[in-house]
Amino acid sequence: MPSVAYLYDPLFLEHDRPGHPEHAGRLRAVMGLLRERNISDALCPLSFAAATFAQLTAVHAPAYVARVQALSQRGGGALNPDTYLNAASFDAAALAAGACIAAAQAVMSSAACRAFALVRPPGHHAFADHGEGFCLFNNAAFAAKSALGDLDAAEDYAWSPAALRSQRDARPARVMIVDFAVHHGNGTQAIFYDDPRVLFLSIHEYGFIYPGSGASDEQGRGRGRGLTINVPLPPQTGDFGYALVFDQIVAPAALRFRPDLIVVSAGFDAHWRDPLAHMCVSLAGFARMMRVLCELSEALCGGRMVVVLEGGYDLEALSFGVLNTLRIMQGNLSEVEDPIGPSPVDEAPVEELIAAFAHTHGLE
């Protein structure tokens, strides 16, 4: 059986602004824990290259890509009050997009069973024509569009002819993107809002929190109507509430849509100790979510899954969240580590709310 792959490059650490919540120390902490636990020895490192301008503009407007590149070449600046660039940011973001393209190609060509793109800057708040929410380019969108055949990326990677033929033959008709980062994946939603090939499902805190979108009545447009599923949850939703969402909404939606690939926007900022949110999820709760997603990928996709790192701003919760995710992707269900423990705050009651969401989307 092909191994579980990971994609990482030290260039991702060069995009940095000390004191900003999305700083290089996040990924440095993740990689430090993975080395400490020696988990990389059992994983397959994948080589990859930066996305080309042509690939970047298959997702993003050419004027926006040029703006990011020019601002970075001038030494950096601010796209908006919360999204920065420095001299390395364009190169890091283009490399992150390339990593997600390579991850999808590897999974679809059976060079890897599953792949985790350990990338930054994050991406799910990046729209076609602008970035926000710490995000420059939409990494999950590059993975999905690569698998769907929207990127003519084959010539940019050193694939064998046999692998390329296998990738073309395995190209899926449907991709499901599951985003469990605590902030609504507004950029990803917008990119695929009218695309009938992509089911986008976002589970997020809703209310007085960025970005303020992701209401349950945002359900897609045109041929994509019904293929956007938002699950906006109140503050203090925890492990039990998320388990209900995965059992009553995520799993039935996947079984109905029957994707050929699952892409996961994996943010660990719904953890109860995260400083930018107000949820009550524990590391054990995240592990359960990933078990469900892996089971769905086995049942529906031949195991094909690409996981893309998004948010998570408590370094310990983020690092152990990634560690546990990789172990579960490998099929190791017995070594989940949760040194932080459960939330000390009682969970919000959400049973009726989740049942109502399931009814709204015909998932009862």
Side-chain angles (χ1 to χ4, degrees), residues 185-237:
N186 53 347
T188 311
Q189 173 176 296
I191 289 170
F192 296 108
Y193 207 54
D194 58 1
D195 193 329
R197 305 168 300 168
V198 177
L199 171 62
F200 174 67
L201 196 156
S202 178
I203 309 140
H204 49 271
E205 182 180 345
Y206 190 70
F208 297 102
I209 189 171
Y210 173 86
S213 57
S216 60
D217 61 357
E218 298 171 25
Q219 298 182 23
R221 178 180 57 234
R223 296 178 64 204
R225 178 70 181 172
L227 294 178
T228 292
I229 298 177
N230 282 302
V231 186
L233 297 171
Q236 295 181 215
T237 303

CSV table of all heavy atoms in Angstrom, one decimal, residues 185-237:
chain,number,residue,atom,x,y,z
A,185,GLY,N,-14.5,29.4,6.0
A,185,GLY,CA,-13.6,29.4,4.8
A,185,GLY,C,-14.2,30.2,3.7
A,185,GLY,O,-14.6,29.6,2.7
A,186,ASN,N,-14.3,31.5,3.9
A,186,ASN,CA,-15.0,32.3,2.9
A,186,ASN,C,-14.4,32.4,1.6
A,186,ASN,O,-15.1,32.4,0.5
A,186,ASN,CB,-15.2,33.7,3.5
A,186,ASN,CG,-13.9,34.4,4.0
A,186,ASN,OD1,-12.9,33.7,4.1
A,186,ASN,ND2,-14.0,35.7,4.2
A,187,GLY,N,-13.1,32.3,1.5
A,187,GLY,CA,-12.5,32.4,0.2
A,187,GLY,C,-12.7,31.1,-0.6
A,187,GLY,O,-13.0,31.1,-1.8
A,188,THR,N,-12.6,30.0,0.0
A,188,THR,CA,-12.8,28.7,-0.6
A,188,THR,C,-14.3,28.6,-1.1
A,188,THR,O,-14.6,28.2,-2.2
A,188,THR,CB,-12.5,27.5,0.3
A,188,THR,OG1,-11.2,27.7,0.9
A,188,THR,CG2,-12.5,26.2,-0.5
A,189,GLN,N,-15.2,29.0,-0.2
A,189,GLN,CA,-16.6,29.0,-0.6
A,189,GLN,C,-16.8,29.8,-1.9
A,189,GLN,O,-17.5,29.4,-2.8
A,189,GLN,CB,-17.4,29.6,0.5
A,189,GLN,CG,-18.9,29.8,0.2
A,189,GLN,CD,-19.8,30.2,1.3
A,189,GLN,OE1,-19.9,29.5,2.3
A,189,GLN,NE2,-20.3,31.4,1.2
A,190,ALA,N,-16.3,31.0,-1.9
A,190,ALA,CA,-16.5,31.9,-3.1
A,190,ALA,C,-15.9,31.3,-4.4
A,190,ALA,O,-16.6,31.4,-5.4
A,190,ALA,CB,-15.9,33.3,-2.8
A,191,ILE,N,-14.8,30.7,-4.3
A,191,ILE,CA,-14.1,30.1,-5.5
A,191,ILE,C,-15.0,29.0,-6.1
A,191,ILE,O,-15.1,28.9,-7.3
A,191,ILE,CB,-12.7,29.6,-5.1
A,191,ILE,CG1,-11.8,30.9,-4.9
A,191,ILE,CG2,-12.2,28.7,-6.2
A,191,ILE,CD1,-10.5,30.5,-4.3
A,192,PHE,N,-15.6,28.2,-5.2
A,192,PHE,CA,-16.4,27.0,-5.7
A,192,PHE,C,-17.9,27.2,-5.6
A,192,PHE,O,-18.6,26.2,-5.8
A,192,PHE,CB,-15.9,25.8,-5.0
A,192,PHE,CG,-14.5,25.4,-5.2
A,192,PHE,CD1,-13.6,25.6,-4.2
A,192,PHE,CD2,-14.1,24.9,-6.5
A,192,PHE,CE1,-12.2,25.3,-4.4
A,192,PHE,CE2,-12.8,24.6,-6.7
A,192,PHE,CZ,-11.8,24.8,-5.7
A,193,TYR,N,-18.4,28.4,-5.4
A,193,TYR,CA,-19.8,28.6,-5.1
A,193,TYR,C,-20.8,28.1,-6.2
A,193,TYR,O,-21.9,27.7,-5.9
A,193,TYR,CB,-20.1,30.1,-4.8
A,193,TYR,CG,-21.2,30.3,-3.8
A,193,TYR,CD1,-21.3,29.7,-2.6
A,193,TYR,CD2,-22.2,31.2,-4.2
A,193,TYR,CE1,-22.3,30.0,-1.7
A,193,TYR,CE2,-23.3,31.5,-3.3
A,193,TYR,CZ,-23.3,30.9,-2.1
A,193,TYR,OH,-24.4,31.1,-1.2
A,194,ASP,N,-20.3,28.2,-7.4
A,194,ASP,CA,-21.2,27.7,-8.5
A,194,ASP,C,-20.6,26.5,-9.3
A,194,ASP,O,-21.1,26.3,-10.4
A,194,ASP,CB,-21.5,28.9,-9.5
A,194,ASP,CG,-20.2,29.5,-10.1
A,194,ASP,OD1,-19.1,29.0,-9.8
A,194,ASP,OD2,-20.3,30.4,-10.9
A,195,ASP,N,-19.7,25.8,-8.6
A,195,ASP,CA,-19.1,24.7,-9.3
A,195,ASP,C,-19.8,23.4,-8.9
A,195,ASP,O,-19.7,23.0,-7.7
A,195,ASP,CB,-17.6,24.6,-8.9
A,195,ASP,CG,-16.8,23.7,-9.7
A,195,ASP,OD1,-17.3,22.7,-10.2
A,195,ASP,OD2,-15.6,24.0,-9.9
A,196,PRO,N,-20.4,22.7,-9.8
A,196,PRO,CA,-21.1,21.5,-9.5
A,196,PRO,C,-20.2,20.3,-9.1
A,196,PRO,O,-20.7,19.2,-8.7
A,196,PRO,CB,-22.0,21.2,-10.7
A,196,PRO,CG,-21.2,21.8,-11.8
A,196,PRO,CD,-20.5,23.0,-11.3
A,197,ARG,N,-18.9,20.4,-9.4
A,197,ARG,CA,-18.0,19.3,-9.1
A,197,ARG,C,-17.5,19.3,-7.7
A,197,ARG,O,-16.8,18.3,-7.3
A,197,ARG,CB,-16.8,19.4,-10.1
A,197,ARG,CG,-17.2,19.4,-11.6
A,197,ARG,CD,-16.0,19.8,-12.4
A,197,ARG,NE,-15.5,21.1,-12.0
A,197,ARG,CZ,-14.3,21.6,-12.4
A,197,ARG,NH1,-13.5,20.9,-13.2
A,197,ARG,NH2,-13.9,22.8,-12.0
A,198,VAL,N,-17.7,20.4,-7.0
A,198,VAL,CA,-17.1,20.5,-5.6
A,198,VAL,C,-18.2,20.7,-4.6
A,198,VAL,O,-19.0,21.6,-4.7
A,198,VAL,CB,-16.1,21.7,-5.6
A,198,VAL,CG1,-15.6,21.9,-4.2
A,198,VAL,CG2,-15.0,21.5,-6.6
A,199,LEU,N,-18.2,19.9,-3.6
A,199,LEU,CA,-19.0,20.0,-2.4
A,199,LEU,C,-18.1,20.7,-1.3
A,199,LEU,O,-17.1,20.1,-0.9
A,199,LEU,CB,-19.5,18.7,-1.8
A,199,LEU,CG,-20.2,18.7,-0.5
A,199,LEU,CD1,-21.4,19.6,-0.5
A,199,LEU,CD2,-20.5,17.3,0.0
A,200,PHE,N,-18.5,21.9,-0.9
A,200,PHE,CA,-17.7,22.6,0.1
A,200,PHE,C,-18.5,22.6,1.4
A,200,PHE,O,-19.7,23.1,1.4
A,200,PHE,CB,-17.4,24.0,-0.3
A,200,PHE,CG,-16.8,24.9,0.8
A,200,PHE,CD1,-15.5,24.6,1.2
A,200,PHE,CD2,-17.5,25.9,1.4
A,200,PHE,CE1,-14.9,25.3,2.3
A,200,PHE,CE2,-16.9,26.6,2.5
A,200,PHE,CZ,-15.6,26.3,2.9
A,201,LEU,N,-17.9,22.1,2.5
A,201,LEU,CA,-18.6,22.0,3.8
A,201,LEU,C,-17.7,22.6,4.8
A,201,LEU,O,-16.6,22.2,5.1
A,201,LEU,CB,-18.9,20.5,4.1
A,201,LEU,CG,-19.9,20.2,5.2
A,201,LEU,CD1,-20.5,18.8,5.0
A,201,LEU,CD2,-19.3,20.4,6.6
A,202,SER,N,-18.2,23.7,5.5
A,202,SER,CA,-17.5,24.4,6.5
A,202,SER,C,-18.2,24.3,7.8
A,202,SER,O,-19.4,24.6,7.9
A,202,SER,CB,-17.4,25.9,6.0
A,202,SER,OG,-16.7,26.6,7.0
A,203,ILE,N,-17.4,24.0,8.8
A,203,ILE,CA,-17.9,23.9,10.2
A,203,ILE,C,-17.1,25.0,11.0
A,203,ILE,O,-15.9,25.0,11.0
A,203,ILE,CB,-17.6,22.6,10.8
A,203,ILE,CG1,-18.2,21.5,9.9
A,203,ILE,CG2,-18.3,22.5,12.2
A,203,ILE,CD1,-17.3,20.3,9.9
A,204,HIS,N,-17.8,26.0,11.5
A,204,HIS,CA,-17.1,27.2,12.1
A,204,HIS,C,-17.9,27.8,13.2
A,204,HIS,O,-19.1,27.7,13.3
A,204,HIS,CB,-16.9,28.2,10.9
A,204,HIS,CG,-18.1,28.5,10.1
A,204,HIS,ND1,-18.4,27.7,9.0
A,204,HIS,CD2,-19.1,29.4,10.2
A,204,HIS,CE1,-19.5,28.2,8.5
A,204,HIS,NE2,-20.0,29.2,9.2
A,205,GLU,N,-17.2,28.6,14.0
A,205,GLU,CA,-17.8,29.5,14.9
A,205,GLU,C,-18.5,30.6,14.2
A,205,GLU,O,-18.0,31.1,13.2
A,205,GLU,CB,-16.8,30.0,15.9
A,205,GLU,CG,-17.4,30.9,17.0
A,205,GLU,CD,-16.4,31.4,18.0
A,205,GLU,OE1,-15.3,30.9,18.0
A,205,GLU,OE2,-16.8,32.3,18.8
A,206,TYR,N,-19.7,31.0,14.7
A,206,TYR,CA,-20.5,32.0,14.0
A,206,TYR,C,-21.0,33.0,15.0
A,206,TYR,O,-21.3,32.6,16.2
A,206,TYR,CB,-21.7,31.3,13.3
A,206,TYR,CG,-22.4,32.2,12.4
A,206,TYR,CD1,-21.9,32.7,11.2
A,206,TYR,CD2,-23.7,32.6,12.7
A,206,TYR,CE1,-22.6,33.5,10.3
A,206,TYR,CE2,-24.5,33.4,11.8
A,206,TYR,CZ,-23.9,33.9,10.6
A,206,TYR,OH,-24.6,34.7,9.8
A,207,GLY,N,-21.0,34.3,14.6
A,207,GLY,CA,-21.5,35.3,15.5
A,207,GLY,C,-20.5,36.5,15.4
A,207,GLY,O,-20.2,36.9,14.3
A,208,PHE,N,-20.0,37.0,16.6
A,208,PHE,CA,-19.2,38.1,16.6
A,208,PHE,C,-17.7,37.7,16.4
A,208,PHE,O,-16.9,37.8,17.3
A,208,PHE,CB,-19.4,38.9,17.8
A,208,PHE,CG,-20.8,39.5,18.0
A,208,PHE,CD1,-21.7,38.9,18.8
A,208,PHE,CD2,-21.1,40.6,17.2
A,208,PHE,CE1,-23.0,39.4,18.9
A,208,PHE,CE2,-22.4,41.1,17.3
A,208,PHE,CZ,-23.4,40.5,18.1
A,209,ILE,N,-17.4,37.1,15.3
A,209,ILE,CA,-16.1,36.6,15.0
A,209,ILE,C,-15.8,36.7,13.5
A,209,ILE,O,-16.8,36.6,12.7
A,209,ILE,CB,-16.0,35.1,15.4
A,209,ILE,CG1,-14.5,34.6,15.3
A,209,ILE,CG2,-16.9,34.2,14.7
A,209,ILE,CD1,-14.3,33.3,16.0
A,210,TYR,N,-14.6,37.0,13.1
A,210,TYR,CA,-14.2,37.0,11.7
A,210,TYR,C,-14.5,35.7,11.0
A,210,TYR,O,-14.3,34.6,11.6
A,210,TYR,CB,-12.7,37.3,11.6
A,210,TYR,CG,-12.2,37.2,10.2
A,210,TYR,CD1,-12.2,38.4,9.3
A,210,TYR,CD2,-11.6,36.0,9.7
A,210,TYR,CE1,-11.8,38.3,8.0
A,210,TYR,CE2,-11.2,36.0,8.4
A,210,TYR,CZ,-11.2,37.1,7.6
A,210,TYR,OH,-10.8,37.0,6.3
A,211,PRO,N,-15.0,35.7,9.7
A,211,PRO,CA,-15.2,36.8,8.9
A,211,PRO,C,-16.7,37.3,8.9
A,211,PRO,O,-17.1,38.2,8.1
A,211,PRO,CB,-14.9,36.3,7.5
A,211,PRO,CG,-15.2,34.9,7.6
A,211,PRO,CD,-15.0,34.4,9.0
A,212,GLY,N,-17.6,36.6,9.6
A,212,GLY,CA,-19.0,37.0,9.7
A,212,GLY,C,-19.8,36.4,8.6
A,212,GLY,O,-21.1,36.6,8.6
A,213,SER,N,-19.3,35.6,7.8
A,213,SER,CA,-20.0,34.9,6.7
A,213,SER,C,-20.2,33.4,7.2
A,213,SER,O,-19.8,33.0,8.2
A,213,SER,CB,-19.3,35.0,5.4
A,213,SER,OG,-18.0,34.5,5.5
A,214,GLY,N,-20.8,32.7,6.3
A,214,GLY,CA,-21.0,31.2,6.6
A,214,GLY,C,-22.3,30.9,7.2
A,214,GLY,O,-22.4,29.9,8.0
A,215,ALA,N,-23.4,31.7,7.0
A,215,ALA,CA,-24.7,31.3,7.5
A,215,ALA,C,-25.2,30.1,6.8
A,215,ALA,O,-24.8,29.7,5.7
A,215,ALA,CB,-25.7,32.5,7.3
A,216,SER,N,-26.2,29.4,7.4
A,216,SER,CA,-26.6,28.1,6.9
A,216,SER,C,-27.4,28.3,5.5
A,216,SER,O,-27.5,27.4,4.8
A,216,SER,CB,-27.5,27.4,7.9
A,216,SER,OG,-28.7,28.2,8.2
A,217,ASP,N,-27.9,29.5,5.2
A,217,ASP,CA,-28.6,29.7,4.0
A,217,ASP,C,-27.7,30.1,2.8
A,217,ASP,O,-28.1,30.3,1.7
A,217,ASP,CB,-29.7,30.8,4.1
A,217,ASP,CG,-29.1,32.2,4.5
A,217,ASP,OD1,-27.9,32.3,4.7
A,217,ASP,OD2,-29.9,33.1,4.6
A,218,GLU,N,-26.4,30.1,3.0
A,218,GLU,CA,-25.4,30.2,2.0
A,218,GLU,C,-25.2,28.8,1.4
A,218,GLU,O,-24.4,28.1,2.0
A,218,GLU,CB,-24.1,30.9,2.5
A,218,GLU,CG,-24.3,32.3,3.0
A,218,GLU,CD,-23.1,32.9,3.7
A,218,GLU,OE1,-21.9,32.4,3.4
A,218,GLU,OE2,-23.2,33.7,4.5
A,219,GLN,N,-25.8,28.5,0.3
A,219,GLN,CA,-25.8,27.1,-0.1
A,219,GLN,C,-25.4,26.9,-1.6
A,219,GLN,O,-25.6,25.8,-2.1
A,219,GLN,CB,-27.3,26.5,0.0
A,219,GLN,CG,-27.8,26.5,1.4
A,219,GLN,CD,-29.1,25.9,1.6
A,219,GLN,OE1,-29.6,25.2,0.7
A,219,GLN,NE2,-29.8,26.3,2.7
A,220,GLY,N,-24.7,27.9,-2.2
A,220,GLY,CA,-24.3,27.7,-3.5
A,220,GLY,C,-25.2,28.5,-4.5
A,220,GLY,O,-26.2,29.0,-4.1
A,221,ARG,N,-24.7,28.5,-5.7
A,221,ARG,CA,-25.4,29.3,-6.8
A,221,ARG,C,-25.4,28.6,-8.1
A,221,ARG,O,-24.5,27.9,-8.4
A,221,ARG,CB,-24.7,30.7,-6.9
A,221,ARG,CG,-25.3,31.6,-8.0
A,221,ARG,CD,-24.5,32.9,-8.0
A,221,ARG,NE,-23.1,32.7,-8.3
A,221,ARG,CZ,-22.1,33.1,-7.5
A,221,ARG,NH1,-22.4,33.8,-6.5
A,221,ARG,NH2,-20.9,32.9,-7.9
A,222,GLY,N,-26.5,28.7,-8.9
A,222,GLY,CA,-26.5,28.1,-10.2
A,222,GLY,C,-26.4,26.6,-10.1
A,222,GLY,O,-27.1,26.0,-9.4
A,223,ARG,N,-25.5,26.1,-10.9
A,223,ARG,CA,-25.2,24.6,-11.0
A,223,ARG,C,-24.7,24.1,-9.6
A,223,ARG,O,-24.7,22.9,-9.4
A,223,ARG,CB,-24.4,24.3,-12.1
A,223,ARG,CG,-25.0,24.6,-13.5
A,223,ARG,CD,-24.0,24.2,-14.6
A,223,ARG,NE,-23.7,22.8,-14.6
A,223,ARG,CZ,-22.6,22.3,-15.1
A,223,ARG,NH1,-21.7,23.0,-15.6
A,223,ARG,NH2,-22.4,20.9,-15.1
A,224,GLY,N,-24.1,25.0,-8.9
A,224,GLY,CA,-23.6,24.6,-7.6
A,224,GLY,C,-24.5,24.8,-6.4
A,224,GLY,O,-24.2,24.6,-5.3
A,225,ARG,N,-25.8,25.1,-6.7
A,225,ARG,CA,-26.8,25.2,-5.6
A,225,ARG,C,-26.9,23.9,-4.9
A,225,ARG,O,-27.1,22.8,-5.4
A,225,ARG,CB,-28.2,25.6,-6.3
A,225,ARG,CG,-29.3,25.8,-5.3
A,225,ARG,CD,-29.1,27.0,-4.4
A,225,ARG,NE,-30.2,27.1,-3.4
A,225,ARG,CZ,-30.2,28.0,-2.4
A,225,ARG,NH1,-29.2,28.8,-2.3
A,225,ARG,NH2,-31.2,28.0,-1.6
A,226,GLY,N,-26.8,24.0,-3.5
A,226,GLY,CA,-26.9,22.9,-2.7
A,226,GLY,C,-25.6,22.2,-2.4
A,226,GLY,O,-25.6,21.3,-1.6
A,227,LEU,N,-24.5,22.7,-3.0
A,227,LEU,CA,-23.2,22.1,-2.9
A,227,LEU,C,-22.3,22.9,-2.0
A,227,LEU,O,-21.1,22.6,-1.9
A,227,LEU,CB,-22.6,21.8,-4.2
A,227,LEU,CG,-23.3,20.8,-5.1
A,227,LEU,CD1,-22.7,20.6,-6.4
A,227,LEU,CD2,-23.4,19.4,-4.3
A,228,THR,N,-22.8,23.9,-1.3
A,228,THR,CA,-22.2,24.6,-0.2
A,228,THR,C,-23.0,24.3,1.0
A,228,THR,O,-24.2,24.6,1.0
A,228,THR,CB,-22.1,26.1,-0.5
A,228,THR,OG1,-21.2,26.4,-1.5
A,228,THR,CG2,-21.6,26.8,0.8
A,229,ILE,N,-22.4,23.7,2.0
A,229,ILE,CA,-23.0,23.4,3.3
A,229,ILE,C,-22.3,24.1,4.4
A,229,ILE,O,-21.1,23.8,4.6
A,229,ILE,CB,-23.1,21.9,3.5
A,229,ILE,CG1,-23.9,21.2,2.4
A,229,ILE,CG2,-23.7,21.6,4.9
A,229,ILE,CD1,-24.0,19.7,2.5
A,230,ASN,N,-22.9,25.0,5.0
A,230,ASN,CA,-22.3,25.7,6.1
A,230,ASN,C,-23.0,25.3,7.4
A,230,ASN,O,-24.2,25.1,7.5
A,230,ASN,CB,-22.5,27.2,6.0
A,230,ASN,CG,-21.5,27.8,5.0
A,230,ASN,OD1,-20.3,27.7,5.2
A,230,ASN,ND2,-22.0,28.5,4.0
A,231,VAL,N,-22.1,25.0,8.4
A,231,VAL,CA,-22.6,24.6,9.8
A,231,VAL,C,-22.1,25.6,10.8
A,231,VAL,O,-21.0,25.5,11.4
A,231,VAL,CB,-22.1,23.2,10.1
A,231,VAL,CG1,-22.7,22.7,11.4
A,231,VAL,CG2,-22.4,22.2,9.0
A,232,PRO,N,-22.8,26.8,10.9
A,232,PRO,CA,-22.4,27.8,11.8
A,232,PRO,C,-22.7,27.5,13.3
A,232,PRO,O,-23.9,27.2,13.6
A,232,PRO,CB,-23.1,29.0,11.3
A,232,PRO,CG,-24.4,28.5,10.7
A,232,PRO,CD,-24.0,27.1,10.1
A,233,LEU,N,-21.8,27.4,14.1
A,233,LEU,CA,-22.0,26.9,15.5
A,233,LEU,C,-21.8,28.0,16.5
A,233,LEU,O,-20.9,28.9,16.3
A,233,LEU,CB,-21.0,25.8,15.8
A,233,LEU,CG,-21.2,24.5,14.9
A,233,LEU,CD1,-20.0,23.6,15.2
A,233,LEU,CD2,-22.5,23.9,15.2
A,234,PRO,N,-22.5,28.0,17.6
A,234,PRO,CA,-22.3,29.0,18.6
A,234,PRO,C,-21.0,28.8,19.4
A,234,PRO,O,-20.4,27.7,19.4
A,234,PRO,CB,-23.5,28.8,19.6
A,234,PRO,CG,-23.8,27.4,19.4
A,234,PRO,CD,-23.5,27.0,18.0
A,235,PRO,N,-20.5,29.9,20.1
A,235,PRO,CA,-19.3,29.8,20.9
A,235,PRO,C,-19.6,28.7,22.0
A,235,PRO,O,-20.7,28.4,22.4
A,235,PRO,CB,-19.2,31.1,21.6
A,235,PRO,CG,-19.9,32.1,20.6
A,235,PRO,CD,-21.0,31.3,20.0
A,236,GLN,N,-18.5,28.0,22.4
A,236,GLN,CA,-18.5,27.0,23.4
A,236,GLN,C,-19.0,25.6,22.9
A,236,GLN,O,-19.3,24.7,23.6
A,236,GLN,CB,-19.2,27.4,24.7
A,236,GLN,CG,-18.5,28.5,25.4
A,236,GLN,CD,-19.2,28.9,26.7
A,236,GLN,OE1,-19.2,30.1,27.0
A,236,GLN,NE2,-19.7,28.0,27.4
A,237,THR,N,-19.1,25.5,21.5
A,237,THR,CA,-19.4,24.2,21.0
A,237,THR,C,-18.1,23.4,21.1
A,237,THR,O,-17.0,23.8,20.9
A,237,THR,CB,-19.8,24.2,19.5
A,237,THR,OG1,-20.9,25.1,19.4
A,237,THR,CG2,-20.1,22.9,19.0
